[in-house]
């Protein structure tokens, strides 16, 4: 069958749409990334609880809610306690062609004084420059598992331009996704609002979809670390992340509705 020119143009336009507005009416496709795992434990609470375990527990709760409440198709970079290098997380995410990517972590402070004092929730999207010294420190800690440098790109000039355009759109939507999730988290938990920030997180660099990293609290704080261990609080976090994603997807649908087929909007409770 030969496509006429208008039909061919329509197909090409559809293929060039960003991930958040690429698919016809279908469930949103979401990758959830529980931080660390295996021999990479991440932060540790005063009671000995490991970040890798908290991030996985919360990620499972997020997946369950996204599937049940939004009808989303959710894939996790790791589904159990296993080591998974950061480049493999990015590669996995891009293979799924997701509508968005959420990485879940717990934050930490290095000294006894700061561990006793600093708590709160931070939500990040990618930037080459960190918003402040604390954001840079968080990125450095999470990037500690990353390889020293990325390999050289072998893309053609055209492929690089198309990739850059897609990443620009995804970056703008990453900001919107970060604010949507962060506002819900603060409202639901009453946690200290440490803001929506930008930093060069390795796991966000290269994801070809709106991508955020959520630091759901300071595991090293004596009170917040205890809350993060409790099932009830984890459910509150998961519900807020789900509601933030619902709000973001609804915003994308409203914004893109005149342009063609879109991701199906989640039902409003």
């Amino acid at each position: 069958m030969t496509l006429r020119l208008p039909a061919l143009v329509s197909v090409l336009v559809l293929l060039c749409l960003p991930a958040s507005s690429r698919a016809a009416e279908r469930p949103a496709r979401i990758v959830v990334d529980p931080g660390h795992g295996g021999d990479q434990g991440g932060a540790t609470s005063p009671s000995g609880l490991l970040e890798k375990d908290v991030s996985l527990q919360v990620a499972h709760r997020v997946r369950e809610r996204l599937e049940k409440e939004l009808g989303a198709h959710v894939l996790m970079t790791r589904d159990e306690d296993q080591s998974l290098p950061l480049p493999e997380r990015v590669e996995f995410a891009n293979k799924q062609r997701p509508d968005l990517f959420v990485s879940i972590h717990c934050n930490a402070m290095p000294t006894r004084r700061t561990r006793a004092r600093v708590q709160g929730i931070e939500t990040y999207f990618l930037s080459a420059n960190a918003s402040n010294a604390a954001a840079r420190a968080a990125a450095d800690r999470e990037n500690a598992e990353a390889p020293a440098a990325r390999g050289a790109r072998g893309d053609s000039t055209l492929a690089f331009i198309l990739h850059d355009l897609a990443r620009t759109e995804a970056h703008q939507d990453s900001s919107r996704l970060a604010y949507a999730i962060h506002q819900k988290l603060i409202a639901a938990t009453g946690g200290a609002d440490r803001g929506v920030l930008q930093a060069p997180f390795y796991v966000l660099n290269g994801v070809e979809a709106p991508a955020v990293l959520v630091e759901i609290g300071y595991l090293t704080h004596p009170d917040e670390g205890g809350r993060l261990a409790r099932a009830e609080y984890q459910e509150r976090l998961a519900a807020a992340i789900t509601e933030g994603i619902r709000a973001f997807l609804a915003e994308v649908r409203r914004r893109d509705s005149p342009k063609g087929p879109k991701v199906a909007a989640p039902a409003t409770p």
Side-chain angles (χ1 to χ4, degrees), residues 86-98:
L86 295 177
E88 292 184 19
R89 296 171 190 259
V90 175
E91 181 181 5
F92 172 85
N94 287 335
K95 283 183 178 178
Q96 312 312 315
R97 298 176 63 81

Side-chain angles (χ1 to χ4, degrees), residues 18-21 99 125 167-179 209-212 248 251-252 255-256:
S20 57
S21 43
D99 299 300
F125 61 101
R167 288 292 308 282
T168 298
E169 179 102 19
H171 183 266
Q172 293 171 348
D173 276 347
S174 294
S175 172
R176 297 182 179 95
L177 176 61
Y179 277 99
V212 300
F248 169 76
E251 179 186 356
V252 167
R255 181 194 68 192
D256 295 342

Side-chain angles (χ1 to χ4, degrees), residues 20-34:
S20 57
S21 43
R22 184 161 46 215
E25 293 289 334
R26 58 154 172 79
R29 193 173 182 85
I30 299 170
V31 172
V32 177
D33 172 49

Side-chain angles (χ1 to χ4, degrees), residues 54 123 228 244 259:
V54 176
T123 308
L228 288 166
K259 302 178 183 178

Side-chain angles (χ1 to χ4, degrees), residues 3-233:
L3 288 175
R4 294 183 180 274
L5 184 58
L8 179 59
V9 170
S10 297
V11 170
L12 291 174
V13 167
L14 179 60
L15 291 174
C16 291
L17 286 173
S20 57
S21 43
R22 184 161 46 215
E25 293 289 334
R26 58 154 172 79
R29 193 173 182 85
I30 299 170
V31 172
V32 177
D33 172 49
H36 306 281
D39 58 358
Q40 301 289 344
T44 305
S45 76
S47 65
L49 185 65
L50 296 177
E51 178 183 359
K52 67 173 185 176
D53 297 323
V54 176
S55 65
L56 183 60
Q57 290 161 8
V58 173
H60 277 299
R61 298 178 191 279
V62 169
R63 178 176 66 180
E64 182 178 354
R65 284 182 174 274
L66 287 171
E67 290 176 343
K68 181 179 179 180
E69 298 177 21
L70 274 63
H73 180 50
V74 182
L75 304 107
M76 291 173 59
T77 55
R78 67 177 181 96
D79 200 29
E80 57 188 18
D81 184 16
Q82 66 181 93
S83 296
L84 188 65
L86 295 177
E88 292 184 19
R89 296 171 190 259
V90 175
E91 181 181 5
F92 172 85
N94 287 335
K95 283 183 178 178
Q96 312 312 315
R97 298 176 63 81
D99 299 300
L100 58 94
F101 172 93
V102 178
S103 190
I104 298 173
H105 292 256
C106 300
N107 223 327
M109 276 290 160
T111 67
R112 179 177 298 180
R113 183 177 65 84
T114 55
R115 286 195 294 268
R117 179 173 56 86
V118 179
Q119 61 179 312
I121 295 169
E122 301 167 0
T123 308
Y124 288 89
F125 61 101
L126 181 67
S127 174
N129 300 308
S131 297
N132 52 39
R136 167 60 69 177
D140 288 345
R141 185 175 68 82
E142 303 295 1
N143 290 344
E145 303 167 19
R150 288 186 178 274
R153 294 178 60 92
D155 299 348
S156 68
T157 301
L158 177 59
F160 178 80
I161 292 171
L162 291 174
H163 176 80
D164 188 56
L165 287 171
R167 288 292 308 282
T168 298
E169 179 102 19
H171 183 266
Q172 293 171 348
D173 276 347
S174 294
S175 172
R176 297 182 179 95
L177 176 61
Y179 277 99
I181 290 176
H182 189 78
Q183 290 167 1
K184 298 294 184 180
L185 280 169
I186 298 303
T189 65
D193 184 354
R194 293 181 58 86
V196 173
L197 304 169
Q198 300 179 62
F201 285 95
Y202 188 101
V203 77
L204 301 181
N205 184 21
V207 175
E208 296 169 352
V212 300
L213 184 146
V214 185
E215 297 278 8
I216 55 176
Y218 277 78
L219 198 59
T220 50
H221 188 273
D223 295 332
E224 192 161 61
R227 288 197 298 273
L228 288 166
R230 296 200 293 266
E232 179 274 332
Y233 190 72

